[in-house]
């Protein structure tokens, strides 16, 4: 795998390689947060609270839009007074009705699943708010249902517009009393993202730029992203998606305790060291065939630089259960025993949204730098939208 490390510290080459302006769009995250909060208020999402607290909030979105609902779920957390339920299929759950609120989001405004859910919400009399592009089938349905409609800003690559999708949902949920994070928390997240944009800017050299450092740790490894809370699990999902779309780069996503308790077996497999090579169990007494197989894999590691696992542990000390904290510490030790590299990233900030932003902001920059360092055309992944997969 050819990683062009010098490119990361060559601003002119970085700009030339960034044909989709991923870095400038990523740097606009703070502006997205503030702008989207304002647009949501202007669209009248507060009117959803006129009939009181709902029985449940159903968040409809698929493809690139689905993560916006996960952001709301993570920020609301277990303290939410009503369920926040992600729905990624056609129509609505059979129980959804006039006592519930439906929040629909689509980056394209043409998702068949989201359109059918909005139609069904209108037919059943659900309270409804919609986020999408202007002059789209989704906006027309919102107008027909007389639902608050939050228009997305000018088109940008789908995976750089997360905050434009998620913040209106947060605004609607705040009005409904589903979570307590209001304008002050929004501003704190924006300030956090501004600080990250400064630290991770292209002109900041790799040895002081946390996003470039993370990109170099990822490149050439198979990342295994583990979250320790619901919030960091969402960040891990975001990381895998950004690497796939921007860099065409695979990653695995897990969380403690599950499915990490199963994925830990990967440490001793073909992509870990296996304490003597794949095919041998740690502490076991292998036979001749097993020894031959281990030698075979060792030769390949030496001769062909086989890709190895790297554990990226996303920590949120403010929200971790003590048992999960101990499990995370054991995971680091176990990874070390099997020669698996470990990177620990800790969420920073007081409120959940700010802590989530501290991780996603860093991850988004790192994903762009990985793509550029590998010489991957980031537009190639985004063109998968032509197949209808990013909606």
């Amino acid at each position: 795998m050819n990683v062009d490390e010098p490119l990361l510290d060559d601003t002119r080459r970085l700009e030339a390689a960034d044909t989709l302006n991923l870095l400038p769009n990523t740097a606009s995250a703070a502006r997205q947060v503030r702008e989207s909060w304002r647009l949501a208020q202007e669209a009248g999402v507060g009117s959803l609270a006129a009939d009181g607290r709902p029985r449940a909030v159903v968040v409809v979105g698929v493809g690139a839009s689905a993560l916006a609902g996960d952001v709301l779920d993570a920020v609301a957390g277990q303290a939410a007074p009503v369920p926040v339920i992600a729905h990624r299929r056609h129509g609505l759950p059979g129980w959804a009705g006039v006592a519930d609120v439906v929040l629909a989001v689509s980056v394209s405004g043409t998702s068949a699943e989201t359109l059918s859910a909005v139609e069904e919400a209108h037919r059943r009399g659900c309270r409804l708010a919609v986020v999408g592009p202007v002059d789209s089938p989704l906006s027309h349905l919102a107008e027909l249902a007389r639902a608050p409609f939050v228009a997305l800003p000018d088109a940008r690559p789908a995976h750089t517009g997360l905050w434009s999708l998620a913040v209106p949902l947060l605004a609607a949920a705040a009005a409904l009393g589903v979570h307590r994070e209001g304008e002050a928390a929004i501003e704190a997240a924006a300030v956090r993202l501004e600080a990250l944009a400064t630290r991770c800017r292209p002109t900041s050299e790799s040895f002081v730029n946390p996003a470039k450092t993370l990109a170099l740790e990822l490149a050439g490894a198979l990342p295994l992203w583990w979250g320790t809370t619901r919030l960091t699990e969402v960040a891990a999902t975001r990381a895998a998606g950004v690497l796939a779309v921007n860099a065409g780069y695979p990653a695995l996503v897990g969380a403690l305790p599950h499915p990490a308790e199963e994925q830990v077996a990967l440490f001793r497999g073909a992509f870990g060291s296996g304490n003597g090579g794949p095919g041998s169990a740690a502490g076991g007494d292998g036979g001749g065939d097993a020894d031959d197989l281990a030698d075979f894999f060792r030769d390949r590691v030496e001769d062909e630089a086989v890709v190895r696992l790297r554990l990226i542990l996303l920590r949120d000390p403010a929200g971790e259960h003590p048992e999960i904290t101990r499990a995370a510490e054991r995971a680091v030790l176990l990874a070390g025993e099997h020669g698996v590299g470990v990177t620990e990233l800790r969420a920073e900030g007081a409120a959940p949204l700010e802590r989530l932003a501290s991780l996603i902001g860093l991850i988004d920059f790192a994903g762009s730098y990985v793509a550029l360092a590998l010489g991957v055309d980031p537009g190639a992944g985004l063109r998968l939208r032509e197949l209808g997969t990013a909606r």
Side-chain angles (χ1 to χ4, degrees):
M1 183 175 296
N2 183 23
V3 181
D4 188 355
E5 293 188 26
L7 176 139
L8 293 182
D9 290 329
D10 188 327
T11 305
R12 185 177 301 176
R13 291 179 63 204
L14 269 177
E15 292 177 352
D18 190 8
T19 57
L20 284 182
N21 293 320
L22 291 177
L23 293 171
N25 278 310
T26 300
S28 74
R31 179 171 59 83
Q32 283 185 50
V33 168
R34 294 187 178 109
E35 179 183 50
S36 299
W37 180 266
R38 175 181 58 80
L39 291 173
Q41 305 307 319
E42 293 175 354
V45 297
S47 65
L48 293 172
D51 293 327
R53 182 177 292 169
R55 176 180 60 177
V57 176
V58 182
V59 184
V60 178
V62 296
S65 306
L67 193 68
D70 292 336
V71 169
L72 172 56
D73 178 44
V75 169
Q78 295 181 347
V82 301
V84 177
I85 300 169
H87 183 72
R88 298 173 181 176
R89 295 178 176 82
H90 292 82
L92 287 175
W95 51 262
V98 295
D100 306 304
V101 168
V102 174
L103 304 177
V105 57
S106 172
V107 71
S108 69
T110 61
S111 161
E113 295 92 337
T114 305
L115 292 173
S116 70
V118 170
E119 289 177 334
E120 191 67 14
H122 179 42
R123 186 182 70 81
R124 298 188 194 181
C126 302
R127 281 179 275 174
L128 176 68
V130 178
V131 182
V134 297
D135 197 22
S136 65
L138 187 61
S139 69
H140 297 321
L141 280 180
E143 183 179 5
L144 180 65
R146 297 182 179 179
F149 176 75
V150 183
L152 292 175
D154 294 338
R156 56 170 62 93
H159 270 72
T160 64
L162 172 63
W163 300 111
S164 294
L165 299 168
V167 169
L169 304 185
L170 295 170
L176 291 165
V178 174
H179 69 87
R180 298 186 179 92
E181 298 212 357
E183 189 169 4
I186 291 292
E187 179 60 22
V191 170
R192 178 71 60 177
L193 289 167
E194 280 179 333
L196 276 168
T198 299
R199 295 177 62 202
C200 300
R201 64 190 184 277
T203 55
S204 177
E205 295 182 333
S206 297
F207 66 92
V208 293
N209 186 321
K212 290 181 180 179
T213 299
L214 178 57
L216 292 174
E217 290 174 347
L218 294 173
L222 177 60
L224 182 57
W225 298 87
W226 284 1
T228 58
T229 63
R230 173 59 178 150
L231 186 147
T232 55
E233 183 182 352
V234 171
T237 301
R238 171 67 171 181
V242 165
L243 285 175
V245 173
N246 289 356
Y249 202 93
L252 300 175
V253 177
L256 287 166
H258 184 81
E261 60 187 6
E262 297 173 351
Q263 292 181 350
V264 73
L266 296 171
F267 290 176
R268 58 182 174 84
F271 292 91
S273 73
N275 267 350
S280 64
D285 183 13
D289 291 341
D291 290 339
D292 290 342
L293 184 60
D295 290 339
F296 171 82
F297 275 103
R298 276 196 295 269
D299 290 342
R300 292 302 182 271
V301 171
E302 295 171 358
D303 297 340
E304 300 177 15
V306 170
V307 172
R308 288 299 189 189
L309 281 178
R310 185 170 192 90
L311 175 61
I312 315 294
L313 199 56
L314 302 181
R315 305 292 302 274
D316 182 18
E320 283 181 13
H321 190 281
E323 288 187 6
I324 300 301
T325 298
R326 289 191 290 271
E329 293 168 352
R330 290 195 300 270
V332 172
L333 292 174
L334 190 58
E337 291 174 3
H338 288 271
V340 173
V342 179
T343 297
E344 290 193 60
L345 302 176
R346 293 179 179 265
E348 299 178 349
L353 180 61
E354 182 184 359
R355 300 202 303 275
L356 181 60
S358 74
L359 292 174
I360 288 181
L362 174 61
I363 285 166
D364 284 357
F365 271 106
S368 297
Y369 284 130
V370 169
L372 299 173
L374 294 177
V376 174
D377 174 12
L382 295 174
R383 282 193 289 270
L384 287 175
R385 287 197 295 173
E386 297 172 6
L387 301 178
T389 57
R391 302 184 292 253

